[in-house]
Amino acid sequence: AMDLFGDLRRMNKRQLYYQVLNFAMIVSSALMIWKGLIVITGSESPIVVVLSGSMEPAFHRGDLLFLTNFHDDPIRAGEIVVFKVEGRDIPIVHRVMKIHEKENGNIKFLTKGDNNEVDDRGLYKEGQNWLEKKDVVGRARGFLPYVGMVTIIMNDYPKFKYALLAVMGAYVLLKRES
Amino acid sequence: LRRNVEDFTGPRERSDLAFVTFDITADILNEKSGLRTFCNKILMLIFNIFDWNVKQLFLYLSAEYSTKNNALNQVVLWDKIILRGDNPRLFLKDMKSKYFFFDDGNGLKGNRNVTLTLSWNVVPNAGLLPLVTGSGHMSVPFPDTYETTKSY
């Protein structure tokens, strides 16, 4: 540990700037990859974490879902969609139970969680009986179990999030290219 | 068997409500069409749908039809979750539909072209989530009149 601080003192300004730039490059690359995913999948949130047990036993809290939201992808009964109720920020992952689609492509549909007894009408906005394409964040195409637990822990225990960020920041800033 | 009743769960107008009874015999171990689709996607020789990466199958029976109001309607009538290890041979007789078969309007009366298909969603331990439709389907023609006396 003493070596680390010795290193810090011996670093001159140029090296410090180099380390900071390195760090900034890593952050920018990560952001670019995320934005790229948004563009490729057409979804504003191509990777979501399952927050509730309403789709058990298929998905459990903490599982990760990969979404696509191609404009020409029709919504069909049986598909698993991630949607947001107007005015609320929480994405909900449920299955499409009913669709009624007009000739011009306008569609209204009803969803229900596999583990729920009743459909989602109680979750929709007051007076709203159907979901529309605009409410859809994406269609679930792939899934990884457990991986999203990290996000849930970081949300529930913010101190853990700060500690993790501090450790990552310290590692990147102090790592010396040999 | 069909009635026209007030749909209290939906918009407050009268819509067609249908009651369907059905028998399902499905031998999932040997469902050929599911097997082929799976093979095409994973390029592996699998002997049945329940391979090492399948955690569960979400099976559902849906009715698809067209009406004056809507060009395409799909309603899930019944579903079942089959977990790895469950008996893969289904023999369900005289099942009642699990969910109310409401139409958006009055399009079921006299509708000759209501098709019931069995489909399933493969949920892996990790990976892609395919939706497969079974190769068989059956048409249910609906009568031209409403049922007023029989109770369900």
Side-chain angles (χ1 to χ4, degrees), chain A residues 57-58 76-80 95 97-103 108 112 114 121 129 140-145, chain B residues 9 11 55-56 58 60 69-76 79 81 99 102 104 121 124-129 131:
Chain A
R76 293 292 174 252
E79 291 192 336
I80 301 174
R95 198 179 292 273
M97 299 301 278
K98 273 182 166 200
I99 66 162
H100 294 292
E101 184 176 64
K102 304 240 181 241
E103 236 170 63
K108 62 184 186 189
K112 172 181 166 300
D114 289 349
R121 286 218 163 101
N129 288 312
R141 295 293 181 211
F143 125 100
L144 278 180
Chain B
T9 63
K55 185 163 80 168
Q56 79 172 52
F58 184 91
Y60 58 100
N69 250 352
N70 295 295
L72 174 67
N73 302 278
Q74 285 182 339
V75 180
V76 172
D79 56 42
I81 293 178
Y99 306 111
F102 266 112
D104 178 36
N121 187 196
N125 282 319
L128 295 175
L129 290 159
L131 213 65

Side-chain angles (χ1 to χ4, degrees), chain A residues 112-166:
Chain A
K112 172 181 166 300
D114 289 349
N115 209 17
N116 292 344
E117 281 297 315
V118 296
D119 59 42
D120 290 344
R121 286 218 163 101
L123 289 177
Y124 301 164
K125 212 169 63 162
E126 176 80 40
Q128 180 187 12
N129 288 312
W130 303 94
L131 287 178
E132 292 165 23
K133 243 196 165 143
K134 64 171 177 56
D135 301 311
V136 174
V137 172
R139 236 69 57 81
R141 295 293 181 211
F143 125 100
L144 278 180
Y146 313 124
V147 177
M149 256 311 183
V150 180
T151 320
I152 292 185
I153 296 177
M154 290 207 295
N155 252 338
D156 291 347
Y157 304 104
K159 290 205 182 125
F160 178 80
K161 174 164 65 178
Y162 300 138
L164 194 67
L165 283 175

Side-chain angles (χ1 to χ4, degrees), chain B residues 69-138:
Chain B
N69 250 352
N70 295 295
L72 174 67
N73 302 278
Q74 285 182 339
V75 180
V76 172
L77 299 178
W78 169 92
D79 56 42
K80 184 170 171 63
I81 293 178
I82 303 181
L83 296 170
R84 189 122 168 254
D86 284 355
N87 185 2
R89 289 194 159 81
L90 284 184
F91 190 52
L92 307 154
K93 238 190 146 348
D94 263 344
M95 301 281 300
K96 295 193 177 157
S97 67
K98 211 174 179 184
Y99 306 111
F100 281 123
F101 187 172
F102 266 112
D103 181 33
D104 178 36
N106 300 320
L108 287 177
K109 178 177 177 180
N111 196 327
R112 296 275 174 251
N113 221 351
V114 179
T115 320
L116 296 181
T117 45
L118 191 65
S119 316
W120 56 92
N121 187 196
V122 182
V123 181
N125 282 319
L128 295 175
L129 290 159
L131 213 65
V132 184
T133 307
S135 50
H137 62 88
M138 57 157 305

